[in-house]
Amino acid sequence: WFSIPQCWRYERMTRGRRREHYQWNMDIWGIQGIQAEAELLSAMVTFFKKVGLSSEDVGIKVNSRLVITEILGSLGVPEDKFAATCVLIDKLEKVPLEAVRDDLTELGLTEEIVLQLTTILTSKSIDSIRESLPPDSEAASQLESLMELAASYGISDWIEFDASVVRGLAYYTGIVFEAFDRTGTLRAIAGGGRYDKLLETFGGEATPAAGFGFGDAVIMELLKDKGILPSFEKSGFDAVVFAMSEDLYGGALRAAILLREAGKSVDVILEPKKTKWVFKHADRIGVRHVILVGGDEWADNEQVSVKDMEGGGQIKVPIAELSAWAKQSVSES
């Protein structure tokens, strides 16, 4: 399922991080396999392509929380320290080790463990990280399976392994990922992962789940930088339909339904207006065609007038042929 809510948070504002923003959330519930994460990554890549970005502009770093769990276990770090350690490790991409060294030490991690850990987490390939993981590592198997699925989806050029990505939120339990701009000038574009225990934390039944959050702030900055931010000047409507008198409103609705069934997005004028206002309205919202229902052509032959707002021409189309006209105009546009 997905949602695009308006979100608020209290913190210092920086470029790409606001106190109020909209966020696309996409989650898959009830699927235990890595297929869920692969589908989520594919959806994210599909969005990037739709807005004109390529794998040269954006990458997605992936890792598994199980990597850090297996490594910390092998280094003798108590399990109850894992979540807090992950939060601190997540900061290492933004601040130097010295900035969190004292916090790591307070958790009982010795200097030697911290150095081993940070060395391992600089790994950029699954093969290199395998040397530090158990022979039957579940983390490595997960990541290898994810990479195979990414290849099947045709998105391998977008995906890269990065052992330093752990995501700061403590509820992640498996695969984690972050989308980033390859110039390195912006914050993370989006991020998510698997959180199999989150629902039961709030009193629900144990349910496997994975998802991501994708805010509007950073992607807007990136699209501006690339010069491909949509203008949003047009409304998205293909046509405006207008009944020239109230008693012809039923005819206008017939025309609108035929146009919509033919694939057109239609704005029906719902209240009495002057024709001059309708044309100005259509021009303001960037609509190509205005469909006028009225006059002798409607009374005598049930024809509508179709005004081309770009070319300036106007033709008459029988209501029975309006669907065919609409389909033809879609193919010509």
Side-chain angles (χ1 to χ4, degrees):
W1 66 279
F2 75 92
S3 61
I4 308 178
Q6 189 174 15
C7 304
W8 292 265
R9 57 189 165 201
Y10 179 74
E11 60 179 300
R12 184 174 62 88
M13 292 189 295
T14 60
R15 187 185 182 207
R17 196 166 184 86
R18 303 192 299 261
R19 289 183 176 177
E20 177 274 327
H21 68 287
Y22 285 90
Q23 179 166 299
W24 169 32
N25 301 312
M26 183 172 180
D27 302 86
I28 297 177
W29 294 83
I31 304 299
Q32 205 158 20
I34 209 74
Q35 292 86 351
E37 286 89 335
E39 179 72 2
L40 291 167
L41 292 172
S42 177
M44 191 181 288
V45 169
T46 299
F47 171 83
F48 288 133
K49 290 179 178 179
K50 289 283 188 180
V51 296
L53 295 168
S54 72
S55 58
E56 294 181 358
D57 303 312
V58 174
I60 305 174
K61 299 176 182 177
V62 301
N63 190 20
S64 173
R65 272 291 183 92
L66 295 180
V67 168
I68 193 73
T69 298
E70 291 175 2
I71 290 172
L72 290 175
S74 67
L75 293 176
V77 178
E79 189 173 347
D80 61 349
K81 306 289 186 183
F82 286 2
T85 303
C86 286
V87 172
L88 293 174
I89 291 171
D90 185 56
K91 295 180 180 180
L92 292 178
E93 194 171 357
K94 307 175 188 70
V95 300
L97 175 60
E98 288 70 24
V100 296
R101 190 187 299 275
D102 290 344
D103 293 325
L104 289 167
T105 301
E106 285 183 17
L107 289 174
L109 277 66
T110 65
E111 183 84 7
E112 181 182 0
I113 289 176
V114 171
L115 289 174
Q116 288 184 57
L117 191 57
T118 52
T119 299
I120 292 169
L121 293 181
T122 59
S123 298
K124 302 296 181 183
S125 75
I126 299 173
D127 288 339
S128 63
I129 202 76
R130 260 199 177 279
E131 300 173 4
S132 305
L133 299 174
D136 58 347
S137 169
E138 183 182 355
S141 296
Q142 272 191 357
L143 289 163
E144 287 167 350
S145 296
L146 183 62
M147 294 302 182
E148 290 174 4
L149 288 170
S152 297
Y153 273 104
I155 60 173
S156 293
D157 52 334
W158 297 77
I159 311 297
E160 62 183 59
F161 171 73
D162 188 331
S164 68
V165 175
V166 295
R167 302 291 295 164
L169 297 173
Y171 56 68
Y172 287 114
T173 57
I175 293 292
V176 288
F177 48 87
E178 284 185 357
F180 66 99
D181 84 288
R182 292 197 185 274
T183 66
T185 58
L186 296 170
R187 308 173 62 92
I189 302 169
R194 178 161 289 276
Y195 46 91
D196 286 345
K197 298 181 179 180
L198 184 60
L199 191 59
E200 61 184 296
T201 300
F202 292 99
E205 295 183 9
T207 306
F212 64 75
F214 193 135
D216 66 342
V218 179
I219 190 65
M220 291 283 284
E221 296 295 330
L222 181 58
L223 294 176
K224 288 177 187 176
D225 288 351
K226 300 294 180 183
I228 55 176
L229 181 68
S231 66
F232 302 109
E233 292 177 357
K234 293 189 176 183
S235 61
F237 288 116
D238 299 308
V240 168
V241 174
F242 173 58
M244 298 181 70
S245 61
E246 289 189 51
D247 60 309
L248 297 176
Y249 187 65
L253 294 181
R254 283 174 60 193
I257 291 169
L258 288 169
L259 291 170
R260 287 167 176 165
E261 289 177 345
K264 293 282 191 180
S265 178
V266 177
D267 178 20
V268 178
I269 303 302
L270 302 177
E271 56 185 341
K273 293 288 183 182
K274 293 185 180 298
T275 306
K276 185 178 180 180
W277 180 93
V278 174
F279 287 142
K280 285 185 176 180
H281 169 69
D283 186 60
R284 184 174 65 252
I285 65 175
V287 165
R288 173 71 184 272
H289 295 108
V290 174
I291 314 300
L292 300 171
V293 179
D296 293 339
E297 58 267 24
W298 179 263
D300 297 338
N301 302 303
E302 285 203 336
Q303 291 181 329
V304 298
S305 294
V306 179
K307 173 77 171 181
D308 187 334
M309 298 298 293
E310 292 183 7
Q314 186 164 318
I315 62 173
K316 293 179 175 61
V317 179
I319 189 77
E321 298 175 15
L322 190 59
S323 181
W325 169 85
K327 291 175 181 176
Q328 182 181 356
S329 67
V330 168
S331 64
E332 292 175 351
S333 62

